[in-house]
Amino acid sequence: YFDLLTDLKVISTHTGRDLPDVVRATNEVLDWFSLGLYLKVDYNKLETIRRDYPSDLNHCRQKMLITWISSGSATWNILVKTLRNDMNERELAERIEREHPH
């Protein structure tokens, strides 16, 4: 079931107020690069992040999330669907749905 109203809760890009919540929500995702690809972050941007911060998983994940949120199309619903359907992170997706109802 796809609910258009659910998909409209855009993650804040102007104030950045949602960024800490998104970072916390995805903190246990180790494969930040794949998550970025599934969220449609530009491959070259992901490669730049990986190259600039080769040994800092948390910083890479944060930079990827900032890039995604800055795209203007980031929603909690997209994040949840991506984690559940593409990343096979069902428990995490369910927890995010509970903590950030759309």
Side-chain angles (χ1 to χ4, degrees):
Y1 175 71
F2 183 75
D3 180 0
L4 283 175
L5 295 177
T6 298
D7 207 38
L8 293 177
K9 185 168 183 210
V10 176
I11 295 172
S12 173
T13 57
H14 301 295
T15 64
R17 64 182 171 79
D18 286 335
L19 180 61
D21 289 337
V22 175
V23 170
R24 264 190 303 279
T26 59
N27 198 41
E28 61 193 72
V29 175
L30 299 178
D31 191 357
W32 66 271
F33 196 93
S34 291
L35 178 59
L37 288 174
Y38 286 123
L39 292 172
K40 297 181 177 38
V41 175
D42 180 72
Y43 178 83
N44 291 323
K45 290 180 182 179
L46 293 173
E47 281 294 337
T48 299
I49 292 168
R50 182 169 28 204
R51 185 186 66 241
D52 289 350
Y53 309 99
S55 60
D56 191 343
L57 169 70
N58 290 327
H59 199 82
C60 287
R61 184 176 39 247
Q62 289 174 9
K63 293 293 275 185
M64 179 276 294
L65 291 168
I66 289 168
T67 302
W68 175 60
I69 291 169
S70 297
S71 74
S73 61
T75 67
W76 286 105
N77 192 45
I78 290 171
L79 179 60
V80 166
K81 284 200 279 189
T82 299
L83 289 169
R84 179 181 292 124
N85 300 335
D86 299 319
M87 299 289 294
N88 201 27
E89 293 278 356
R90 287 175 175 75
E91 289 180 31
L92 177 58
E94 290 171 11
R95 186 166 59 245
I96 291 171
E97 280 184 313
R98 284 191 306 273
E99 294 173 3
H100 302 279
H102 329 298

